[in-house]
Amino acid sequence: MQNTFQVQGMTCGHCERAVTQAVQQLDAQAKVAIDRAQGKVVVDSSQPADKIAAAIAAEGYQVL
């Protein structure tokens, strides 16, 4: 299932890697596409959206 999240606080490549790794710790097969300029994270994963959002938030980013 594909989910799109608005994420605030991503400013660099390290931020993108942190978000990607957080999602992939939940689901190693997840596909993550990040548009840092628009603050958009698109995740294709079998995990529920709330768990993905919580994993991103746990890295210190605000998920809207």
Side-chain angles (χ1 to χ4, degrees):
M1 178 188 317
Q2 191 175 71
N3 292 290
T4 301
F5 302 92
Q6 283 299 125
V7 179
Q8 290 184 337
M10 296 184 300
T11 59
C12 63
H14 176 269
C15 297
E16 291 183 15
R17 284 190 302 277
V19 168
T20 299
Q21 289 174 350
V23 172
Q24 290 181 336
Q25 283 180 354
L26 277 179
D27 178 0
Q29 303 302 316
K31 291 182 173 51
V32 182
I34 297 175
D35 182 339
R36 190 181 343 141
Q38 293 190 18
K40 190 183 296 186
V41 178
V42 179
V43 178
D44 188 4
S45 170
S46 60
Q47 292 294 316
D50 60 335
K51 285 190 177 185
I52 296 169
I56 295 170
E59 290 296 315
Y61 302 98
Q62 185 175 10
V63 182
L64 305 176

